[in-house]
Amino acid sequence: MKVNFYLFLALTGFSLTGHSVLRVTKDTKPNSKMMQYLQNVNTFLLVVAGVSLTGLIFLGYTSTSVGYKDKRFCLNLTKEHQENSKLQLPQGLSYKQPSVVGPDGKVIAMTPWLSPIVWEETFDPFLIDTIYKQQNITIATTVFALGKYTQFLKDFLESAEQNYFIGFRVHYYVFTDQPEQVPEVKLGEERQLTVLKVPSSNRWQEITLRRMEKLEKLIESRLVSEADYVFSLDVDTKFYGRWGSESLGRLVGVIHPGYYQTPREQFPYERRPESQAFIPHAEGDYYYGGAVIGGLVKDVHEAAKTCREQLDIDAAKSIEAAWQEESHLNKYFLYNKPSKVLSPEYLWQDFKPHTNEVKIIRFSQVIKNYAAVRPNP
Ligand code: UDP
Ligand code: MN
């Protein structure tokens, strides 16, 4: 770029000089002495132009200040672009609720803000994995198993090793109050597991509420340098089908399997205005499941931090949102739209009968006896 610019300058200068000399020649009808003089001038100018050109090329290569400016300009552009890539929305906007299944029974693969909704047949698994493998990425995966929920770890991890980001570098971070209960599961190549001890709790609400804070702090202390993407998943679950790089995006949420054909006013959002998770009846896109949140480490950090702050404000007022952190996540996703939305294929419930639109179940909540696994009713 720089060199081309100098070359252009020099050549323009040269051709202008040559042009004016020629004009003088033509207009004055000079004698041969005059011709010779002009030819000498011409040669002289040619040499001057040549020397300047060489000098300018040399300067272009060595001048750091010009190069630095170029670089700074590019960095600014990138930063601005990142800021704009957030899909934020003001509160109180009136628009039609997006559908998940069309009137013809066919699934809808795009949100009205043009983020993909990932369904079977909307992507080529081989193609998309090949693209993302080029990026040499690490996918951190956090999972909480406190109290009796440690019993779900074995199936969760074993089925993940069969289906979840196969061929990618995956790092599980298991939060538990009983590290000795974490089962030995054989992990594939380039996959690892870290156990993180956390205090026990005798209230399940407290456990789920603290997940956002733990995720926020883990990102700050480790994931910023250890991973590119992070998914936080429920442990009382199992993988039944492929879950791969098609799920990657800047900010990723999953449509809850129980409400994808429900009118928004019937979504189990938090409806008390006193709560930070409050969503009015006239607003809402989808009801997102709290069992899955993912995306780039930086964007998930922003989401987790915001939810944690909102949860703290509620706690100080002794308000607990209808579905704890799921309610706060729904509020976050309404005003900070996900850049990719996972269809209910990525969060089913084992007790739910299969439906026509969901062709494959990839990840599903197992049936559990709430009274037997939770520390309190
Ligand atoms: N959890 C836990 N121990 C508990 C209760 C919850 O480890 O005693 C964690 C676990 O990761 C679980 C998540 O919190 O998957 C969400 O709770 P739960 O699955 O009970 O909520 P649900 O999916 O039934 O709404
Ligand atoms: Mn669950």
Side-chain angles (χ1 to χ4, degrees):
M1 275 291 274
K2 283 172 304 216
V3 175
N4 281 350
F5 174 68
Y6 291 129
L7 205 74
F8 169 76
L9 255 183
L11 287 177
T12 316
F14 174 69
S15 69
L16 277 176
T17 325
H19 188 64
S20 59
V21 170
L22 245 162
R23 274 184 56 160
V24 172
T25 315
K26 204 174 169 194
D27 291 352
T28 51
K29 292 191 183 78
N31 56 32
S32 64
K33 222 173 175 184
M34 184 75 168
M35 277 292 271
Q36 196 158 7
Y37 167 73
L38 282 174
Q39 245 170 20
N40 285 343
V41 170
N42 225 349
T43 316
F44 173 72
L45 285 174
L46 228 162
V47 171
V48 168
V51 169
S52 324
L53 182 64
T54 318
L56 285 173
I57 289 174
F58 176 73
L59 257 178
Y61 273 120
T62 52
S63 157
T64 46
S65 66
V66 178
Y68 179 64
K69 251 189 200 156
D70 266 8
K71 210 167 157 191
R72 260 198 333 206
F73 181 62
C74 287
L75 282 177
N76 284 344
L77 263 186
T78 315
K79 192 164 167 263
E80 247 168 54
H81 174 75
Q82 277 172 354
E83 293 305 314
N84 291 341
S85 69
K86 281 191 187 169
L87 305 168
Q88 288 174 326
L89 182 84
Q91 301 195 6
L93 200 77
S94 166
Y95 59 92
K96 201 167 140 263
Q97 178 186 355
S99 311
V100 177
V101 181
D104 53 0
K106 290 216 174 82
V107 298
I108 291 167
M110 197 72 88
T111 69
W113 58 91
L114 298 182
S115 290
I117 306 178
V118 187
W119 295 93
E120 176 72 349
E121 288 174 9
T122 58
F123 62 94
D124 179 332
F126 169 71
L127 168 70
I128 200 154
D129 275 358
T130 308
I131 291 170
Y132 278 96
K133 273 179 194 162
Q134 301 273 316
Q135 299 179 8
N136 191 26
I137 48 174
T138 300
I139 299 118
T141 302
T142 63
V143 70
F144 290 74
L146 284 87
K148 296 196 174 122
Y149 279 60
T150 52
Q151 66 186 272
F152 298 114
L153 273 172
K154 191 169 188 292
D155 279 358
F156 173 87
L157 290 168
E158 281 179 356
S159 64
E161 284 303 290
Q162 296 301 313
N163 298 291
Y164 181 70
F165 283 104
I166 299 307
F168 284 87
R169 200 177 304 115
V170 171
H171 191 159
Y172 302 100
Y173 297 82
V174 178
F175 288 89
T176 183
D177 53 347
Q178 310 147 79
E180 68 285 357
Q181 295 295 322
V182 177
E184 282 278 328
V185 172
K186 197 178 161 354
L187 301 179
E189 211 183 306
E190 289 218 273
R191 299 168 80 96
Q192 57 172 317
L193 186 149
T194 300
V195 179
L196 300 161
K197 193 166 185 324
V198 288
S200 307
S201 173
N202 51 15
R203 275 191 81 234
W204 64 266
Q205 294 92 336
E206 182 68 24
I207 295 171
T208 66
L209 286 169
R210 287 290 137 222
R211 282 199 295 178
M212 287 297 184
E213 185 192 346
K214 292 276 182 291
L215 178 60
E216 176 194 354
K217 301 291 181 260
L218 178 74
I219 293 174
E220 288 169 10
S221 64
R222 298 188 60 164
L223 303 191
V224 279
S225 58
E226 293 179 13
D228 302 283
Y229 292 92
V230 55
F231 276 97
S232 178
L233 304 174
D234 258 24
V235 73
D236 55 326
T237 50
K238 249 175 112 165
F239 292 88
Y240 294 106
R242 173 207 157 88
W243 176 320
S245 62
E246 72 282 0
S247 67
L248 294 174
R250 188 181 56 78
L251 184 63
V252 184
V254 67
I255 298 176
H256 193 294
Y259 303 96
Y260 66 86
Q261 285 174 307
T262 304
R264 52 159 64 129
E265 60 275 11
Q266 288 169 31
F267 284 162
Y269 288 154
E270 173 54 56
R271 301 299 189 181
R272 293 167 297 173
E274 306 85 74
S275 168
Q276 296 300 308
F278 168 67
I279 297 175
H281 284 94
E283 292 183 53
D285 303 309
Y286 311 105
Y287 187 76
Y288 297 96
V292 176
I293 174 176
L296 287 174
V297 162
K298 180 177 166 282
D299 290 85
V300 174
H301 177 258
E302 188 64 35
K305 180 171 178 279
T306 306
C307 288
R308 193 266 305 155
E309 286 167 354
Q310 308 289 60
L311 283 157
D312 283 348
I313 297 172
D314 273 13
K317 293 198 261 178
S318 301
I319 301 172
E320 193 168 277
W323 290 99
Q324 294 81 34
E325 87 289 10
E326 183 172 82
S327 305
H328 289 272
L329 186 65
N330 269 282
K331 168 91 174 249
Y332 188 81
F333 279 156
L334 175 57
Y335 302 119
N336 302 269
K337 306 290 196 206
S339 65
K340 194 169 268 186
V341 175
L342 303 179
S343 73
E345 295 170 3
Y346 292 81
L347 184 65
W348 200 248
Q349 290 163 310
D350 279 359
F351 66 78
K352 236 180 120 61
H354 289 199
T355 56
N356 284 338
E357 51 281 353
V358 178
K359 302 257 184 297
I360 162 173
I361 291 162
R362 305 169 190 280
F363 185 60
S364 179
Q365 305 236 243
V366 300
I367 296 168
K368 63 180 185 283
N369 178 346
Y370 282 92
V373 294
R374 282 183 170 172
N376 61 307

